[in-house]
């Protein structure tokens, strides 16, 4: 960050020590990074204070509390946040932009002035047809394009609500949300299948279910079979859970394939869920790269910060 | 009931007054009918004592309590029950039969002797591949074939777990369970869509969603749009709920159509849910008849009772 010719001017803006706070404040988690003027991460923290439930000043109180140690030691003067924190009724609303205005994110950050800090919140995106929205992922996708300016293809961000995005010529052409993660949680914890599923991963059960779902758009009609298998054959609950996951993710990937249309696929995320999407996509014959969600968020926020100050200084 | 030549003999069996108890004891409801020797329903009762949670003797205690008035007044000596009451760990287990042995239900009822009454429990069915089961529906389907001995085609029994059954030559050729009802309940009450849905029925929203789902196997990928519509356009929650219902039922019917394959469809059920299935099936171009689940259960249990006593007396 701040590698442009106006470095001296910007130091005035960001405080004597030149530290920033970057953050991805999602529905269920708050992730913050303290970065120096060269873009190095000095410290990081993560809490379960989700922006999904914090109304207005409640978010401000959480932010003040968790950043207190950084403020006492480093006096950061600016925070740049993306994610659900910018929703209506959240801390400060950053209205949605349509994908064709994705490159204008830095011009449309919402501002909030605290006594010792300026808080900037990145807008989310909405489709022109008003049938989908994202908040936070737009910034991670921006981070990916900063890492790989030539990337063209499909981007998948696995999560409770997985986003699928088409990137063409450095622009977001379209995006779509799938609720597979939430369906999996509801079905495994609260449905009649809950008796038949349990912890563990059975890769054979997962792969068989994946293959079924990729080959047959009627896979959703086979969910009850997980219970029947357990009732009649006392199937291992780990196999049941893996089958549920394989049927759901396989069906989601089957729905995505007509859009991917033979292109590259980049996955942004970490952990088991992302690994499962990679496994299904590779099984379906796709070249897949995986990028860390944290790194992409930092890269995207840094890019927005740099553009913001170009704008401020220009 | 008891219209066969051995009527006198059977009167000894069933008690001086010749009354019977028939029942459909499902996961979440207990339905009982007091019938006379001519098959007329003298009284009926329904409670929310689901057999899904009642282990062993707990079911017996509930049965004794709710039937006490009938026992005091009519001294019924026999009860014939179908449904989840016959599951393993329930009151008395009636092991599953495969569909090819469907006509042998009367030979395979489980017996339980109370001090003043014999209780008989009808087996459920399991597919030969061990990937599906039913308990209770087999008896309603039997009832339908007693009403319409020549019926050939698809039978759909809407519910939390909807059953689709193929009837050919008076035999169950195959069946399949869909979890649409449970998915609808989970998504409308516990998912991120809950803010966007509310009571009421918007037939235009339902029909549009139905048409989308019938025409595109990727309908499950559009669920999140219900939330986006509400966020961005403040959509009426009744329209949101109707769209959710239309997408889910439409997708289920789309999965069923390759099996229905142009045949007649009989729906067994009552109320709004059954009406919705009829609406979607008619929209898809199918001739649909609706039969009452209660009437079909009584007809099926009566048929089993008659065959049981033929067997006993023969």
């Amino acid at each position: 960050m701040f590698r442009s010719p106006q470095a001296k001017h910007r130091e005035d803006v960001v405080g004597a020590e030149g530290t920033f706070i970057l953050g991805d404040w999602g529905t269920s988690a708050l992730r913050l990074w303290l970065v120096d003027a060269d873009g190095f991460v000095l410290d990081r923290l993560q809490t379960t204070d989700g922006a999904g439930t914090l109304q207005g000043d409640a978010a401000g109180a959480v932010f003040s509390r968790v950043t207190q140690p950084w403020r006492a030691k480093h006096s950061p003067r600016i925070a740049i946040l993306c994610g659900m924190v910018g929703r209506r009724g959240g801390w400060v609303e950053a209205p949605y932009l349509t994908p064709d205005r994705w490159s204008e994110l830095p011009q449309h950050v919402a501002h909030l002035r605290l006594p010792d800090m300026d808080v900037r919140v990145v807008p989310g995106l909405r489709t022109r047809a008003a049938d989908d929205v994202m908040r936070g992922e737009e910034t991670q996708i921006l981070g990916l394009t900063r890492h790989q300016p030539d990337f063209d293809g499909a981007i998948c961000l696995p999560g409770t609500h997985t986003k699928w995005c088409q990137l063409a010529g450095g622009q977001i052409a379209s995006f779509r949300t799938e609720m597979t993660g939430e369906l999996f949680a509801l079905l495994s914890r609260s449905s009649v299948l809950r008796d038949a599923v349990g912890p563990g991963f059975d890769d054979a059960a997962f792969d068989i279910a994946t293959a079924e779902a990729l080959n047959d758009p009627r896979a959703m009609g086979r969910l009850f079979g997980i219970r029947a298998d357990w009732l009649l054959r006392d199937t291992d609950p780990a196999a049941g859970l893996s089958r549920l996951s394989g049927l759901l993710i396989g069906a989601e990937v089957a729905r995505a394939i007509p859009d991917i249309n033979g292109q590259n696929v980049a996955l942004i995320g970490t952990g088991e869920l992302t690994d499962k999407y990679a496994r299904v996509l590779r099984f379906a014959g796709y070249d897949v790269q995986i990028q860390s969600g944290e790194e992409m968020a930092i890269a995207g926020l840094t890019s927005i910060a740099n553009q913001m100050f170009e704008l401020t200084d220009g």
Side-chain angles (χ1 to χ4, degrees), chain A residues 143-155:
Chain A
L144 181 78
T145 65
R146 289 303 170 267
H147 268 254
Q148 299 177 49
D150 298 332
F151 182 86
D152 245 44
I155 303 175

Side-chain angles (χ1 to χ4, degrees), chain A residues 82-131:
Chain A
C82 66
M84 283 298 282
V85 65
R87 74 189 168 88
R88 185 177 301 175
W91 196 7
V92 53
E93 184 182 358
Y96 295 104
L97 300 180
T98 47
D100 56 308
R101 303 182 69 187
W102 179 52
S103 60
E104 302 171 23
L105 288 178
Q107 290 97 306
H108 294 276
V109 292
H111 288 229
L112 183 81
R113 194 170 291 273
L114 303 182
D116 64 345
M117 202 185 306
D118 271 1
V119 177
R120 321 275 170 109
V121 176
V122 179
L125 298 185
R126 52 162 285 185
T127 54
R128 191 165 284 283
D131 59 357

Side-chain angles (χ1 to χ4, degrees), chain A residues 10-244:
Chain A
R10 262 184 232 105
E11 233 167 60
D12 298 340
V13 177
V14 303
E17 294 191 46
T19 61
F20 260 52
I21 293 174
L22 303 179
D24 185 351
W25 202 342
T27 302
S28 53
L30 167 62
R31 290 181 188 81
L32 294 177
W33 303 280
L34 183 72
V35 296
D36 68 16
D38 291 320
F40 287 109
V41 175
L42 303 176
D43 199 7
R44 65 191 72 213
L45 65 82
Q46 178 166 349
T47 79
T48 56
D49 299 289
T53 54
L54 293 168
Q55 301 285 334
D57 289 345
V62 166
F63 184 80
S64 294
R65 172 169 53 76
V66 302
T67 59
Q68 187 50 44
W70 290 351
R71 294 156 78 135
K73 190 167 171 193
H74 300 281
S75 304
R77 297 242 180 105
I78 290 181
I80 304 169
L81 307 174
C82 66
M84 283 298 282
V85 65
R87 74 189 168 88
R88 185 177 301 175
W91 196 7
V92 53
E93 184 182 358
Y96 295 104
L97 300 180
T98 47
D100 56 308
R101 303 182 69 187
W102 179 52
S103 60
E104 302 171 23
L105 288 178
Q107 290 97 306
H108 294 276
V109 292
H111 288 229
L112 183 81
R113 194 170 291 273
L114 303 182
D116 64 345
M117 202 185 306
D118 271 1
V119 177
R120 321 275 170 109
V121 176
V122 179
L125 298 185
R126 52 162 285 185
T127 54
R128 191 165 284 283
D131 59 357
D132 219 323
V133 292
M134 64 165 69
R135 277 199 185 276
E137 294 89 352
E138 72 297 319
T139 303
Q140 295 185 31
I141 298 165
L142 181 64
L144 181 78
T145 65
R146 289 303 170 267
H147 268 254
Q148 299 177 49
D150 298 332
F151 182 86
D152 245 44
I155 303 175
C156 171
L157 300 98
T160 306
H161 300 138
T162 294
K163 306 290 177 182
W164 290 86
C165 174
Q166 297 298 317
L167 207 72
Q171 291 299 313
I172 291 180
S174 65
F175 72 89
R176 198 166 63 79
T177 302
E178 288 271 6
M179 293 183 64
T180 300
E182 187 159 20
L183 268 181
F184 176 76
L186 291 168
L187 286 169
S188 60
R189 290 178 200 155
S190 307
S191 86
V192 74
L193 302 183
R194 66 181 176 277
D195 302 322
V197 303
F201 185 68
D202 179 325
D203 51 4
F206 182 83
D207 289 347
I208 290 168
T210 293
E212 288 177 30
L214 288 173
N215 289 321
D216 184 354
R218 304 200 290 167
M220 287 297 292
R222 298 183 180 182
L223 294 178
F224 189 78
I226 295 168
R227 178 172 174 84
D229 261 353
W230 170 79
L231 275 176
L232 299 174
R233 297 197 281 215
D234 204 19
T235 312
D236 174 13
L241 193 71
S242 301
R243 179 166 175 77
L244 175 62

